[in-house]
Amino acid sequence: MPDYPYEFRRQMVEQVRARRSPEEPTRKLEPSTQTIRNWVRQDEIDQGGRATPPVKAHLIIAERTGAGSQVPITTQVVTIGRHPGCGVVLSDVAVSRHHAALHCNDDTFTLVDVSSANGTHINDRTIRVADLNDGDQIRIGAVQLTFHTAGANDSSDEET
């Protein structure tokens, strides 16, 4: 996923605000709907806008380019797949439309493969259902994701 310049992100946020839907700019431009939604959410936070739900965990997505996109996990169930209605949209063709679901119950996070065509992998093991731990590496299609719990090392602290 490319690292988009600040001015481009600002233009996308303004387009979403004008149209009230991130789907319109994604039809003509490259960023995914979820990426644009994340920019709008971040802009609202930066502008002191509406309160956002507490972040329970987050996924760092590294697609083919290696650029990381951080997706906060704020709901009890987050769907992952190619379908635009998923909470985390991945554009890789090896990803099923509805590939996996991340379930959050208190401090327990469980990843469930929802009968995907190409499987879901955690730390290079194929899974159907598995609990996640901070730092686990998830592979869905050719997309690599890293799972982090809230309060764990901030993504800006890359020292280990």
Side-chain angles (χ1 to χ4, degrees), residues 44-79:
E44 288 169 349
I45 293 167
D46 293 346
Q47 300 298 321
R50 67 180 173 182
T52 57
V55 175
K56 300 175 182 187
H58 61 268
L59 293 170
I60 298 174
I61 304 170
E63 291 190 59
R64 292 181 184 112
T65 63
S69 174
Q70 184 171 309
V71 178
I73 306 301
T74 59
T75 59
Q76 283 190 310
V77 178
V78 177
T79 55

Side-chain angles (χ1 to χ4, degrees), residues 117-129:
N118 294 313
T120 301
H121 310 272
I122 299 176
N123 301 325
D124 294 323
R125 290 181 38 221
T126 303
I127 61 100
R128 284 287 175 202
V129 176

Side-chain angles (χ1 to χ4, degrees), residues 93-135:
V93 294
V95 175
S96 297
R97 285 183 199 94
H98 299 280
H99 197 105
L102 175 58
H103 296 266
C104 310
N105 295 314
D106 298 321
D107 292 332
T108 303
F109 302 91
T110 305
L111 187 63
V112 179
D113 181 284
V114 289
S115 301
S116 68
N118 294 313
T120 301
H121 310 272
I122 299 176
N123 301 325
D124 294 323
R125 290 181 38 221
T126 303
I127 61 100
R128 284 287 175 202
V129 176
D131 286 341
L132 290 170
N133 297 301
D134 186 64

